[in-house]
Amino acid sequence: IDPEQFRIDSVFDRVATTGTVWLGLTIGCAQCHDHKFDPIEQKEYYRLFAFLNNQDEPTLKVSGAGADGVTTLVMKERTTPRKTTVLIKGDFTRPAEEVTPGTPAVLHPLDPLQGLPTRLDLARWIVSPRNPLTARVLVNRIWQQYFGRGIVETENDFGLQGTPPSHPELLDWLALELLERKWSLKEMHRLIVTSHTYRQSSAE
């Protein structure tokens, strides 16, 4: 396989995983064209791609193979950022319009600390109190682990194709609790398992 194709495919995977895990959105669907259901344009996909395209791939030193030691999988920012473009139909051999790091317009705006936005700016954007998704996605997954079904049943899709929350006020309240408890998952587990809802009998 072409090394550059392998690298690009790895970045595709990171963009899709970031969108699913933190935002509960099928952002990966916009890799080849504008999203068919959610208001995410292909250009916006590649603006997210740009955040994850400016690192050198980590290399591992293997013990016993002449290596001086073992390294960890930490990605290193490049001194000179890579040029990122929209890829026609997701094909890395067909670059089109150049883009800079950015986030989907349908969500809250990105406020970079300075200059060209970095992965740190993306991380701050993801956990911003203005973000309507991250806290809800996380508490929904916790709820699902205890009750077998999330408040939003499609836990990885909070978009237009996902199911609406069965109890939106509860989802909002839990999300606010997570923020007020400084993103402590331990606190959220304690909150749920000590609740009347969790402790009541399921026997009829």
Side-chain angles (χ1 to χ4, degrees), residues 20-202:
T20 300
V21 171
W22 296 108
L23 303 174
L25 294 177
T26 55
I27 286 175
C29 292
Q31 175 183 325
C32 301
H33 47 71
D34 290 348
H35 201 294
K36 291 183 177 180
F37 304 105
D38 297 333
I40 301 171
E41 298 178 357
Q42 185 185 25
K43 180 178 179 179
E44 293 175 324
Y45 171 90
Y46 284 98
R47 295 195 72 192
L48 282 172
F49 182 99
F51 281 109
L52 305 174
N53 193 35
N54 289 328
Q55 296 81 38
D56 287 322
E57 292 296 306
T59 56
L60 279 177
K61 294 181 180 179
V62 181
S63 297
D68 296 328
V70 178
T71 63
T72 57
L73 287 170
V74 176
M75 301 188 74
K76 181 180 179 182
E77 297 292 325
R78 294 170 59 90
T79 304
T80 304
R82 284 189 178 92
K83 177 181 177 180
T84 299
T85 68
V86 173
L87 301 179
I88 298 174
K89 295 186 177 180
D91 184 347
F92 84 104
T93 66
R94 301 177 66 191
E97 176 186 0
E98 184 174 356
V99 294
T100 55
T103 52
V106 69
L107 298 174
H108 63 291
L110 174 73
D111 297 320
L113 295 176
Q114 59 181 6
L116 192 69
T118 65
R119 281 191 299 159
L120 177 58
D121 293 310
L122 177 62
R124 292 177 185 273
W125 177 82
I126 287 173
V127 297
S128 168
R130 294 183 295 162
N131 187 341
L133 290 175
T134 302
R136 288 172 175 82
V137 169
L138 292 180
V139 297
N140 187 66
R141 288 201 181 106
I142 297 173
W143 187 272
Q144 181 184 38
Q145 291 302 309
Y146 285 110
F147 295 100
R149 182 170 59 193
I151 300 170
V152 175
E153 289 190 48
T154 52
E155 74 278 6
N156 292 325
D157 189 356
F158 275 49
L160 295 176
Q161 288 293 100
T163 58
S166 58
H167 298 78
E169 296 86 357
L170 174 60
L171 184 64
D172 291 347
W173 181 78
L174 287 169
L176 288 173
E177 286 294 314
L178 179 59
L179 293 176
E180 290 179 4
R181 295 166 192 251
K182 301 184 179 184
W183 298 92
S184 172
L185 297 182
K186 182 177 181 179
E187 287 288 323
M188 295 308 297
H189 284 287
R190 180 182 291 115
L191 175 67
I192 291 175
V193 299
T194 58
S195 69
H196 174 72
T197 299
Y198 182 76
R199 291 185 294 172
Q200 67 184 340
S201 173
S202 60

